[in-house]
Amino acid sequence: AGTKMAVSTLDEVLEKISDSDLKQLLLQSKKEHETLGNEIHALLIQHDSEEKDPNPVARSMSWIKTNVKIGMDNHASVVADLVTDGCNMGIKTLYKYLNQYKNADEKGKELCNRLIMIEEHLRQDLRCYL
């Protein structure tokens, strides 16, 4: 659900920004999220588990916040601020799950840690736009 939410948010902001460097950064992050999302999907199938979609309320709130803020100002700093907030929420949630499910499959925990790293790197790369 987290990688789907990230890809969805990145898709929303990518179509509204004009800064080519920021666009490249976000396209690369989207690709990383999609690749990891596919690995997560394969692991879920391997464990006979179903993948989940993002919470509809969270998705709606994110869409509203993104479109209202960018609608008022689509400057790179606004986009960077929105995506940084998403990274922070994702990192917080992922650490919560790692702590909650200490006995989880090691491959699952590795994928979770990789997603945390993707989010942390994106957050760091966005600092120059804030």
Side-chain angles (χ1 to χ4, degrees):
T3 56
K4 287 181 181 183
M5 184 74 163
V7 169
S8 173
T9 300
L10 291 171
D11 277 338
E12 283 177 36
V13 299
L14 278 166
E15 61 189 44
K16 295 174 175 71
I17 58 173
S18 57
D19 185 293
S20 60
D21 292 334
L22 178 57
K23 191 171 247 182
Q24 270 310 116
L25 174 66
L26 296 179
L27 282 169
Q28 178 60 36
S29 183
K30 178 185 171 193
K31 183 178 176 182
E32 291 172 355
H33 280 88
E34 288 172 331
T35 300
L36 189 59
N38 291 335
E39 289 182 50
I40 292 167
H41 178 74
L43 184 63
L44 288 169
I45 289 172
Q46 191 177 21
H47 287 281
D48 294 323
S49 295
E50 293 185 23
E51 86 181 29
K52 295 182 180 180
D53 288 323
N55 180 304
V57 173
R59 181 176 261 180
S60 296
M61 295 298 287
S62 172
W63 185 89
I64 290 168
K65 180 179 178 182
T66 299
N67 285 286
V68 166
K69 280 194 166 190
I70 292 177
M72 294 184 337
D73 180 4
N74 70 343
H75 191 268
S77 64
V78 174
V79 173
D81 185 57
L82 286 167
V83 176
T84 298
D85 285 349
C87 290
N88 289 335
M89 287 188 288
I91 291 166
K92 179 181 169 182
T93 300
L94 291 166
Y95 275 117
K96 182 180 106 178
Y97 289 145
L98 278 176
N99 291 329
Q100 184 177 354
Y101 300 107
K102 291 184 187 300
N103 296 325
D105 176 85
E106 288 303 314
K107 179 67 176 172
K109 290 193 284 190
E110 176 205 326
L111 292 173
C112 186
N113 281 311
R114 283 180 46 205
L115 184 52
I116 290 169
M117 288 180 61
I118 290 170
E119 295 289 315
E120 287 178 338
H121 286 144
L122 178 56
R123 182 177 65 179
Q124 184 173 359
D125 290 342
L126 289 170
R127 288 180 186 169
C128 64
Y129 295 97
L130 296 173

